[in-house]
Amino acid sequence: MSVFKDHNVTVNELLQVIPEALLSQLAAQTKVDHYSKVLHGKKMFYLLLFGILDNEKLSQRTLEDTFNDSVFKQLFDLDESETVRRSSISERLSKIDSNYFRQIFECIYGQFASHYGHTESKKYNLIRVDSTIVSDTAGKLKEAIDQNNGKKLIKFSMSFDGLLPSSVDIFNEQKYSAEDNALPVGILRHVKKETGTSNIYIMDRGVQSTRTMHKFSKENIPFVIRSKENRKYVEVKSLLVNQDTTKDMGGFELVKDSIVHLYTGIPIHNKKGNIHHKETLVEAPFRLVIIKNKTSPNKEFWFISNEFDLPAQEITRFYRRRWDIEVFFRFIKQELHVSHLVSMNKNGIEVMIYMTLIVAMLILIYKKANNIGYKT
């Protein structure tokens, strides 16, 4: 297998953490096998799992060759007489219930998180939230975000706990090209799914809407967001005078730590039907932390949070851990080739991203158990 060419691991070893009974149970619950003669849910799961592991660039043609290969059938105890064609795989990907694969993904995540989960501070689990995009230069995607340049995009917005991907949302509507619209959807869904856990959500500059931040605060969702510099605010209270702390932060210096009110733009329709935005102060408390680089004093980093009890150093340290999700995106693009679309249909894309994340979890847990880094 290309992913494990330098390590002694087999598909059977990976499958040991996925009970066959779970696949059968979820197949019955989701009724994924109704109207299917050959490509039952469990067979599709095994086919996609093996295909992702065994191919540098997966395609419907390579999936056809894999299914018809006697080695694959022996490995998964399938009927030697069964064969499929590429067109059958394409149709099955477009119609099979993606909820079956989502539930497998969530079950495996729950199993791994219970054994490998860890808090990164005494109070919080840090959840990095960001998006990555996959584009098709030929514009073949049937339902996608149109860039008006011949390219169409699919956006995957993910939550990442530092070791494993805990959730994913697939966006193909134009309004979700903006992170201010996409990321809150995933965060609110993640919060509902993980009721009772103490998460803090870490985001980059994609989310800048004051209204979104206010909604997070009203729903008691802790966050740290890197802000655009020089955004307009009103200082309510400086926290520096109340903190017995140094402004020295290693290579950085703490410039400001204050409770502030932020402005937001309210859309206004004028008499001609045009829309302009009126600046309005949102009188809700936020925390603004500003640091500057000691070697480049003109370079500042602004952070907005709704956590007021943590030291400013913790706010900035939490944000630095956000880079973990960028490393994860690079991992699934370089090692698992998530950018290479096997299906141009949204349902098929959903199936493939869930399968890719399942494989990613298996690999990451294997690498953690064997002290193997991402790049190895």
Side-chain angles (χ1 to χ4, degrees), residues 187-254:
I187 291 172
L188 293 171
R189 186 178 292 120
H190 191 269
V191 168
K192 291 179 181 178
K193 187 176 69 173
E194 298 206 353
T195 304
T197 57
S198 298
N199 296 326
I200 184 165
Y201 293 87
I202 314 297
M203 287 158 278
D204 203 13
R205 291 190 289 184
V207 175
Q208 294 295 303
S209 168
T210 302
R211 292 190 295 275
T212 297
M213 297 179 197
H214 191 203
K215 183 175 183 178
F216 286 161
S217 293
K218 288 194 293 185
E219 300 199 19
N220 298 313
I221 301 173
F223 65 82
V224 172
I225 296 173
R226 184 180 170 189
S227 171
K228 295 178 180 178
E229 294 79 20
N230 298 318
R231 70 177 296 162
K232 195 172 180 180
Y233 66 90
V234 171
E235 185 173 43
V236 177
K237 177 183 179 182
S238 174
L239 298 178
L240 289 176
V241 295
N242 297 324
Q243 291 184 352
D244 183 19
T245 184
T246 176
K247 292 184 178 182
D248 184 27
M249 300 173 66
F252 296 89
E253 180 182 345
L254 181 62

Side-chain angles (χ1 to χ4, degrees), residues 163 229 311 316:
L163 176 62
E229 294 79 20
T316 59

Side-chain angles (χ1 to χ4, degrees), residues 12 20 50 70 83 227 278 319 327:
N12 280 334
E20 187 174 351
F50 189 84
S70 59
T83 60
S227 171
K278 178 182 178 181
Y319 175 79
V327 176

Side-chain angles (χ1 to χ4, degrees), residues 246-255 291-301:
T246 176
K247 292 184 178 182
D248 184 27
M249 300 173 66
F252 296 89
E253 180 182 345
L254 181 62
V255 175
I291 62 175
K292 68 178 179 181
N293 192 314
K294 289 182 179 178
T295 58
S296 303
N298 294 328
K299 180 63 175 176
E300 291 185 342
F301 298 87

Side-chain angles (χ1 to χ4, degrees), residues 32 41 44-49 52 58 63 89-105 156 168 170 338 341-343 345-359:
V32 71
M44 283 293 291
F45 175 82
Y46 289 148
L47 175 62
L48 296 174
L49 174 69
I52 292 170
L58 194 61
L63 287 174
I89 294 173
S90 177
E91 182 179 8
R92 189 70 171 127
L93 278 172
S94 68
K95 295 182 179 179
I96 193 170
D97 188 353
S98 61
N99 188 49
Y100 172 68
F101 299 90
R102 179 186 63 79
Q103 290 193 37
I104 297 173
F105 162 73
F156 301 132
V168 60
I170 300 97
V338 74
L341 294 173
V342 175
S343 173
N345 172 276
K346 185 186 179 184
N347 188 79
I349 291 171
E350 288 179 353
V351 171
M352 292 307 304
I353 190 62
Y354 285 127
M355 282 303 309
T356 301
L357 294 183
I358 289 169
V359 173

